[in-house]
Amino acid sequence: MKKTALLVCLFTLVFLCGCWDRRELNEVAFIAVAGIDQAPAEKLRLTGQIVLPRQLLSPSPAGGTSTGGKEKAFILATAEGETALEANRNLIKELGRRVYWDHNRVIIIGERLARQGIAPFLDIFVRTPEARLRTLLVVAKEAEIEELLAAEEKLDPNLAKTLENALHWRRASGKIKDVDLKEFLELMGTEGSDPVASAVTLQDKTLTFAGTAVFKKDKLVGWLSDFETQGFLYAVGKKPGGIITTSFPDGEKVVLELTRAKSKIIPEMKKNKVSFIIRTSAEGRFRETHGSANPTELANWSLLEKEMAAKMEKQIKAAVDKAQGLGADIFGLGEVLHRKDPKAWKTLKENWAEIYPTVEVKVKVTARLREHGVLRAPVVPR
Amino acid sequence: MPEAGKISPGQLLALLFFAVFPTSLVFLPGAATKIAQQDSWLTFVLLTLWGMLSASLQSTLAQRFPQKTIIQYAPLVLGKWLGKLAAFAVIFFFFTVNLFVIRQFAEFIVNTFMSRTPLAVFIFASVVLSTWTVFLGLEVLARANEVLFPLTLFVLVFIFAFSLPDLDLKKLLPLFENGPLPVVKSTYPGLLFFSEFFVVNLLFPFLNQPAQGQKTALKAAAWVGILHVLSTITILAVFGPALTARFLCPFLDLARYISLAGIVERQEALVATVWVFAGVLKVTLYFYSTALSLAQLLGLKSYHPLIFPLAAVFIFLPLFIFQSIPQLCTLLEEKTSPLLTPISFGLPLLLLVAAALRRQRE
């Protein structure tokens, strides 16, 4: 009896030795950044930064002063196919491994493809269980994907890390909108709103953020500059920040920093005509002056608050005008109306594409300055 | 009686919780949002009421015959032949529900986590595991439920808490955009799930404090309902109705989407863990219910001889009667409620009315 039991136990071991879906590190390739763009002959080109785990393990991947130039922590792999999935599987031919998407942090969309519409290509990135909705979505502006992915990395061992770190500091920068797959798909799939994505470009062989890509549903239709991106973020961004350069009436330059802003978009229906007010209340900090006027004098202080509000209004207005010009409802005005007044929305939604560009949008900003650093008066020569 | 064990009210609560919860949380939020859009959390408010109604009906009936299972008292109320027919319907209910649960359990794992492993592996594993538990009897199953219930609650609370940074409650607006009708309609697939408290009719005689029975059943219905409402609110507030309606299993996506300072990420493993044990618990409960009720109908002294044949059926039928996941989902959305709710809700109602008219009580 005991012997039989032992045999059964041993026999069981054969079936307990592992997992059917196991993937060993040396059988797969981890992709960290994926770029897709159009290739000739109606094909898609998929370019990926494939992580070299060996390099990531070395003590200082980005540091060191080796004479032969530092070793990269990734390789680039490119494949073409009629669809993203086919291109992905074609990578096997080149790499000898299957690409594993669990650790993909960023998807870069080529400009050509983005203008054509990206919905058909996003399906696979959401449908496959490996993929994550947190994956960042960026658009290559005036740059080829291959060049972007081969760009010189400055501090971090790979591009994904650089992009993620930049997003970590997006409040300080104030000019970066972080958009992940979930946000893009959600806005794309909702009537009365259009998505955006961060734009990246190549500058002196380095990848850099360059404003915001504006989509009309899934088609790229234009760009917001840094100036407009800031305005856009004031109105709809999560925890906006960034610096605001303005001046005293006599022209002396001052720099303020936005520390908090809360915005509300309010629709108003008047005789079947809809208009919107964007109300923003902001808080800021006095950061820098180039002149001799003392900001801590209360008259000056409130003057600066007005200047800050005026500058922010200007920026938000610029973003609104650009978006309306492009016919892309990136502020989600339609959806705001839908939530507030579903009946009115029902009558307008059929023609929203025509109504939206002409809709009146007012911008009202109130700003409060709270701190001014450890100087009471500016340092000036006498 | 083929079962000599006793369970406590706490254990009954856990048993009834897992009798509904696992498969419904995976399946219903997406299905309801497809119809009710941003109002789908209200669907679950309605379903909670339906669940409480169902639980109170079931336990009222069970309390009339505290020493007997539904298989035993149905002939007393309806007469010999009608009673046998009712008992047969009850067995059909447990059996059919279990076929669905087993297939759902396996499909979920294959579609979300282990796409290269054959479905049969998970069907086989879950049925073998539950066979062993059924063999050991109700007390063992009840204790397993009792232990895993708080763990499940913990995981849910964890996921709710870490979803808070991504919450935007504005996405729940506007309320009743197309009137209340879509909300009512979207409860349809849930009618069956939330009447699965039906098993209380089988478990009641084993309760060591029968006086607590009704309260426990209502508590279980409230737990299940409230957790569905909270889950659906969280899902909608994170993803919005447009995306939620497109997901196979929105709750899983919710867990996957969690990201806190880059440290707490990808909590889908937690969902998978809960799903695996909760799924097996549900399979086991319905396996046990089928075996026990069949044994009682046949007048056997023990249900043990039925276990292995049933296990074989539970392994093979789910593999062959369902062809694909869209077929499974369509069946669950459109067919199971009209087929099985008459048994899980209609039959007890009939029995209760008949017993009241004939003034039967034990």
Side-chain angles (χ1 to χ4, degrees):
Chain A
M1 186 62 204
K2 259 188 188 164
K3 257 188 192 166
T4 337
L6 192 69
L7 272 176
V8 169
C9 287
L10 282 175
F11 183 69
T12 323
L13 279 181
V14 179
F15 297 99
L16 289 178
C17 60
C19 160
W20 208 299
D21 274 62
R22 80 188 185 286
R23 289 171 198 191
E24 305 289 348
L25 197 54
N26 55 6
E27 289 171 356
V28 295
F30 290 103
I31 191 165
V33 184
I36 50 172
D37 203 354
Q38 250 189 338
E42 304 229 326
K43 287 204 164 173
L44 277 184
R45 181 181 292 137
L46 176 71
T47 310
Q49 279 198 355
I50 309 286
V51 178
L52 294 173
R54 191 168 10 113
Q55 299 302 334
L56 288 178
L57 279 177
S58 64
S60 57
T65 48
S66 55
T67 42
K70 61 196 172 196
E71 272 187 81
K72 293 209 169 196
F74 61 85
I75 56 160
L76 279 188
T78 305
E80 289 183 7
E82 273 177 49
T83 65
L85 185 60
E86 193 192 343
N88 177 25
R89 294 297 165 85
N90 283 345
L91 279 173
I92 297 175
K93 295 196 292 186
E94 179 185 341
L95 296 169
R97 295 188 189 186
R98 182 162 165 190
V99 174
Y100 199 39
W101 286 79
D102 262 33
H103 296 271
N104 184 38
R105 317 293 282 198
V106 185
I107 297 173
I108 304 184
I109 310 271
E111 194 177 332
R112 281 189 302 271
L113 189 71
R115 286 198 187 273
Q116 237 186 38
I118 58 175
F121 313 107
L122 287 181
D123 186 275
I124 183 65
F125 289 103
V126 204
R127 189 179 294 275
T128 170
E130 288 172 21
R132 304 181 68 213
L133 288 163
R134 280 265 177 207
T135 310
L136 297 170
L137 201 67
V138 298
V139 179
K141 183 182 180 184
E142 293 153 12
E144 292 296 321
I145 298 259
E146 288 83 358
E147 295 167 1
L148 278 175
L149 291 184
E152 255 175 50
E153 66 277 14
K154 293 254 149 108
L155 287 169
D156 300 300
N158 64 46
L159 216 58
K161 202 75 207 148
T162 308
L163 291 172
E164 280 185 336
N165 282 346
L167 292 175
H168 179 74
W169 293 106
R170 67 176 180 275
R171 280 193 73 191
S173 153
K175 294 171 183 168
I176 304 170
K177 167 91 178 125
D178 67 321
V179 178
D180 60 13
L181 262 180
K182 176 222 127 190
E183 187 180 334
F184 191 91
L185 292 169
E186 191 186 341
L187 293 177
M188 188 182 87
T190 307
E191 288 177 312
S193 63
D194 286 304
V196 296
S198 261
V200 291
T201 190
L202 206 61
Q203 201 177 56
D204 300 333
K205 289 188 188 165
T206 310
L207 180 140
T208 172
F209 280 95
T212 307
V214 178
F215 283 78
K216 193 169 175 175
K217 288 306 154 196
D218 67 327
K219 289 188 180 67
L220 175 69
V221 288
W223 312 92
L224 295 187
S225 65
D226 276 354
F227 184 82
E228 292 152 352
T229 300
Q230 273 188 307
F232 177 60
L233 288 171
Y234 297 153
V236 301
K238 228 190 215 175
K239 296 189 183 165
I243 56 162
I244 297 162
T245 310
T246 172
S247 59
F248 277 118
D250 60 4
E252 287 177 347
K253 202 176 259 179
V254 288
V255 181
L256 311 170
E257 178 161 20
L258 181 70
T259 50
R260 248 167 55 88
K262 249 191 127 119
S263 290
K264 235 184 153 169
I265 305 178
I266 305 149
E268 255 176 25
M269 284 296 289
K270 263 187 204 149
K271 293 183 202 158
N272 281 336
K273 222 171 127 82
V274 68
S275 63
F276 294 86
I277 306 175
I278 301 178
R279 269 183 205 285
T280 304
S281 62
E283 274 179 34
R285 186 182 285 155
F286 185 88
R287 290 307 299 236
E288 187 182 349
T289 174
H290 290 195
S292 55
N294 190 348
T296 55
E297 281 166 27
L298 285 180
N300 284 344
W301 194 252
S302 59
L303 206 66
L304 285 172
E305 285 175 340
K306 286 206 185 77
E307 287 295 331
M308 176 172 171
K311 178 78 187 272
M312 286 177 72
E313 262 171 32
K314 213 167 128 193
Q315 287 187 293
I316 297 175
K317 195 72 191 135
V320 170
D321 288 345
K322 176 64 91 50
Q324 283 189 311
L326 294 170
D329 191 355
I330 55 176
F331 288 83
L333 299 182
E335 182 59 12
V336 168
L337 181 65
H338 173 215
R339 281 173 189 162
K340 193 88 182 175
D341 192 348
K343 278 203 189 110
W345 172 242
K346 245 180 210 155
T347 62
L348 295 177
K349 74 175 177 187
E350 289 305 315
N351 304 315
W352 187 241
E354 290 89 63
I355 298 168
Y356 167 71
T358 61
V359 154
E360 187 194 357
V361 182
K362 282 189 215 132
V363 182
K364 286 234 154 46
V365 181
T366 51
R368 284 269 166 278
L369 285 170
R370 303 279 186 207
E371 301 119 64
H372 55 70
V374 293
L375 276 186
R376 267 178 169 242
V379 281
V380 284
R382 292 245 181 234
Chain B
M1 203 181 277
E3 174 64 56
K6 282 282 173 198
I7 55 174
S8 70
Q11 290 173 332
L12 181 67
L13 174 70
L15 279 165
L16 290 178
F17 179 81
F18 284 114
V20 177
F21 192 72
T23 43
S24 62
L25 184 68
V26 164
F27 175 72
L28 286 180
T33 309
K34 232 166 81 178
I35 304 167
Q37 295 297 325
Q38 66 272 17
D39 288 336
S40 64
W41 63 281
L42 290 163
T43 308
F44 291 99
V45 174
L46 285 187
L47 280 174
T48 307
L49 298 177
W50 165 252
M52 309 257 305
L53 177 71
S54 161
S56 81
L57 167 75
Q58 316 284 4
S59 48
T60 309
L61 175 64
Q63 258 173 350
R64 278 188 168 255
F65 306 95
Q67 303 299 323
K68 290 193 164 63
T69 69
I70 188 167
I71 306 289
Q72 292 166 320
Y73 61 70
L76 297 182
V77 180
L78 297 175
K80 194 175 170 202
W81 291 108
L82 269 181
K84 293 262 183 222
L85 194 69
F88 185 77
V90 171
I91 295 165
F92 173 76
F93 175 84
F94 291 139
F95 181 78
T96 317
V97 167
N98 208 16
L99 295 182
F100 277 94
V101 175
I102 293 167
R103 180 74 180 211
Q104 266 181 288
F105 170 79
E107 286 281 8
F108 178 81
I109 300 182
V110 169
N111 277 282
T112 54
F113 293 108
M114 305 174 92
S115 49
R116 295 186 302 171
T117 310
L119 203 65
V121 171
F122 300 109
I123 291 182
F124 184 77
S126 62
V127 175
V128 166
L129 201 59
S130 52
T131 307
W132 178 236
T133 317
V134 173
F135 205 79
L136 294 174
L138 181 61
E139 285 193 358
V140 172
L141 174 60
R143 279 198 295 271
N145 276 279
E146 194 183 20
V147 172
L148 295 169
F149 180 48
L151 195 63
T152 307
L153 293 186
F154 171 76
V155 167
L156 290 173
V157 170
F158 182 91
I159 289 173
F160 294 152
F162 283 103
S163 298
L164 283 179
D166 295 307
L167 234 54
D168 180 3
L169 288 172
K170 279 204 299 285
K171 291 177 191 170
L172 300 181
L173 293 173
L175 227 56
F176 292 122
E177 186 184 4
N178 298 309
L181 203 65
V183 178
V184 177
K185 260 191 203 158
S186 65
T187 58
Y188 192 61
L191 290 181
L192 170 66
F193 286 91
F194 279 72
S195 64
E196 285 173 2
F197 299 108
F198 182 58
V199 284
V200 77
N201 286 312
L202 199 75
L203 302 176
F204 202 89
F206 311 116
L207 193 61
N208 61 10
Q209 298 162 43
Q212 299 285 317
Q214 181 144 35
K215 217 171 100 194
T216 309
L218 284 172
K219 246 197 237 168
W223 270 114
V224 171
I226 289 166
L227 286 173
H228 273 85
V229 173
L230 279 179
S231 305
T232 312
I233 289 179
T234 316
I235 292 167
L236 284 171
V238 170
F239 294 118
L243 262 186
T244 306
R246 288 174 167 85
F247 288 143
L248 176 68
C249 164
F251 193 79
L252 178 74
D253 290 284
L254 187 67
R256 291 164 77 102
Y257 194 66
I258 285 176
S259 171
L260 211 72
I263 300 163
V264 185
E265 291 209 339
R266 304 191 184 210
Q267 297 308 313
E268 67 255 37
L270 279 179
V271 176
T273 314
V274 169
W275 173 250
V276 168
F277 67 64
V280 171
L281 287 180
K282 187 163 179 177
V283 170
T284 312
L285 178 62
Y286 284 91
F287 191 163
Y288 173 84
S289 306
T290 314
L292 180 69
S293 46
L294 193 58
Q296 289 191 333
L297 179 69
L298 300 175
L300 301 180
K301 279 212 181 62
S302 156
Y303 61 78
H304 284 175
L306 298 173
I307 292 180
F308 287 108
L310 274 178
V313 176
F314 281 139
I315 289 172
F316 286 107
L317 272 190
L319 263 181
F320 296 117
I321 56 173
F322 305 106
Q323 270 90 47
S324 63
I325 192 150
Q327 183 222 21
L328 179 70
C329 287
T330 312
L331 283 175
L332 284 169
E333 273 167 30
E334 292 165 11
K335 297 284 179 336
T336 48
S337 273
L339 177 71
L340 295 170
T341 317
I343 305 178
S344 62
F345 194 84
L347 180 65
L349 189 63
L350 177 75
L351 285 172
L352 186 65
V353 171
L357 288 177
R358 301 175 64 177
R359 293 168 203 250
Q360 276 176 328
R361 175 183 285 283
E362 232 174 60

